[in-house]
Amino acid sequence: MKKLFIAMMAVAFSAFTFAADDALARITLTGTTSGGQAQIILIENSAYSAGYDNGYDAPCNINLAEDLPKTLHIYSYIGAYKYSTIATNNLDGLHVDFITNLLDDEYKMTFEVFTLASGRTLDIYDLDKGIRTDIDPAESYTFEATKGHNEIKDRFVINYSHTAPDYVIMNGDFITPGGSWAYTSNFTDNLDGSFSLDLDLAADTWYHFQLEEGYGSTSYIAADGTEFNSTNASHNLTVDGWHSALLLHTDVAGTYTFTWYELGDNLTITFPAAASTGYTVTPNAAGYATFSADEATVIPAGATVYRGEISGEELRLYTISGYVPANTGVIVAGAGALDFEIATVTVPALSEDNDLKPTSAYNTSLENVYVLKGDAFLKYVGSDPLADNKAFIQLPSAPAGAPQHLRMVINGPQDIESVEAENVKAEKFIEDGQIFIRRDNKVYNVQGQIVK
């Protein structure tokens, strides 16, 4: 049976040849999860033309039915049509395209070579990755592509060769947005098929520009009207095609990196990260959280913020108002998510003592460290760094019998600890997003003041 199959294949392939072919090969594309397959046959013979040869170039029959989820299609274009058998006088530079199926995000190419003239070689080049693979039964190539009947076009080329540009230039209105194109700058050649350029740009601004590739005394323009923004930051451009300015809309001020991948004519713009406008602090079930930030922040409504002073086995808390200074550890009392916006004014450091430290000051060599747990500080016995934007306590020494926890005491004659220290049971509850304590038919806020 095997011999019969091989004989049938030989007869089938012989139908495509006039005389001895310079090359006859087949590429099989397989979805690595589904096992779905498609094939393209490549034939090179001087008797064929670079265009359509009736009876030799065979069309690819496309079926994108939803009930055939693993079906793949691999082909090459002749004009506007797709062909799964290509008979041509020269395979060099031929693009091999395909349509993904509904199941696979990873695909594998394998190869069969039936004829290869002496000295003739075939390979396939991945323009996206810059990887060249020999078309040889001993080789294969696995790559990623998004499932969902997506056409992957102009990515794979047979025997790809190119001359790198001598330079890549960008012209635009980066100096006067919307005005004259006074800006011109060279990209840096990264020597890996890419060129890059960094520009410091303003926020919420439209810029217009074009790229230019130079080869000696000849240059080619890349400007096809594409609009770049934070959700469309990468695009394959038409080079020396329709000259319509490229557009860029910036969202934040900062450094934008333009990278031109000249192998695939792709421009990718890396946007700077959006600047933080603040921090969200969520107190624990007991109604407390620790907090610190690199910037001064505004204390929001609904939050009570304290500095702390160590006294024996207690951390005595004292209210601060208005702002939390930069790099200052504090206790936050409240309920729900509390938004601390970054201050737009200069905020001085606390003038009073504060033994709460920002976790940015923590390192694993510190000893006698205490962190918040519920409504008390427990001795930290871990070895991992502390979470960002929190606070901790460090006792100045390690006396015998050092406490395993420090309780928080809010300063004042009617503080929470004073209320709860009496023999009558106190009950905490949350109402309208605020923490209250009920004791002996009276209700107190977190400062220990009677509210009702």
Side-chain angles (χ1 to χ4, degrees), residues 210 221-226 237-247:
Q210 67 181 27
I221 301 299
D224 60 4
T226 298
L237 300 179
T238 301
V239 180
D240 206 38
W242 171 43
H243 293 181
S244 182
L246 301 169
L247 289 83

Side-chain angles (χ1 to χ4, degrees), residues 18 21 28 32 34 68 102 126 143 191 294 318 320 428:
F18 291 98
D21 295 317
T28 299
T32 59
S34 72
L68 299 172
L102 299 178
D126 184 342
F143 59 94
L191 303 179
D294 293 339
Y318 301 88
I320 64 174
K428 289 182 180 178

Side-chain angles (χ1 to χ4, degrees), residues 40-42 58 60 74-79 81-86 93-98 158:
I40 184 171
I41 297 170
L42 307 174
C60 180
I74 185 170
Y75 48 82
S76 184
Y77 278 91
I78 299 177
Y81 300 97
K82 304 176 180 72
Y83 291 83
S84 57
T85 296
I86 295 291
L94 183 78
H95 284 230
V96 175
D97 306 321
F98 69 98
I158 303 298

Side-chain angles (χ1 to χ4, degrees), residues 208-341:
H208 306 77
F209 65 102
Q210 67 181 27
L211 300 187
E212 178 182 332
E213 284 187 340
Y215 298 83
S217 60
T218 304
S219 65
Y220 301 90
I221 301 299
D224 60 4
T226 298
E227 178 183 317
F228 291 85
N229 53 53
S230 58
T231 59
N232 182 42
S234 181
H235 192 76
N236 290 349
L237 300 179
T238 301
V239 180
D240 206 38
W242 171 43
H243 293 181
S244 182
L246 301 169
L247 289 83
L248 168 64
H249 182 252
T250 58
D251 50 4
V252 298
T255 301
Y256 288 73
T257 299
F258 297 73
T259 303
W260 176 243
Y261 298 94
E262 58 94 8
L263 292 176
D265 294 337
N266 173 271
L267 176 63
T268 295
I269 302 176
T270 303
F271 282 59
S276 172
T277 59
Y279 302 84
T280 298
V281 179
T282 303
N284 60 27
Y288 297 102
T290 62
F291 173 63
S292 64
D294 293 339
E295 310 91 345
T297 53
V298 180
I299 297 175
T304 303
V305 176
Y306 303 95
R307 63 182 176 87
E309 294 182 17
I310 297 172
S311 178
E313 296 185 7
E314 296 178 345
L315 179 67
R316 295 193 172 274
L317 303 182
Y318 301 88
T319 306
I320 64 174
S321 60
Y323 301 92
V324 178
N327 300 306
T328 302
V330 294
I331 300 291
V332 177
L338 302 167
D339 294 326
F340 284 68
E341 295 182 358

Side-chain angles (χ1 to χ4, degrees), residues 133-167:
T133 304
D134 290 335
I135 295 178
D136 184 286
E139 301 292 335
S140 65
Y141 182 57
T142 301
F143 59 94
E144 295 179 348
T146 304
K147 62 190 173 188
H149 290 160
N150 290 302
E151 183 177 30
I152 308 302
K153 191 176 180 182
D154 298 330
R155 175 171 174 178
F156 294 99
V157 183
I158 303 298
N159 285 12
Y160 179 72
S161 64
H162 81 291
T163 301
D166 297 320
Y167 62 85

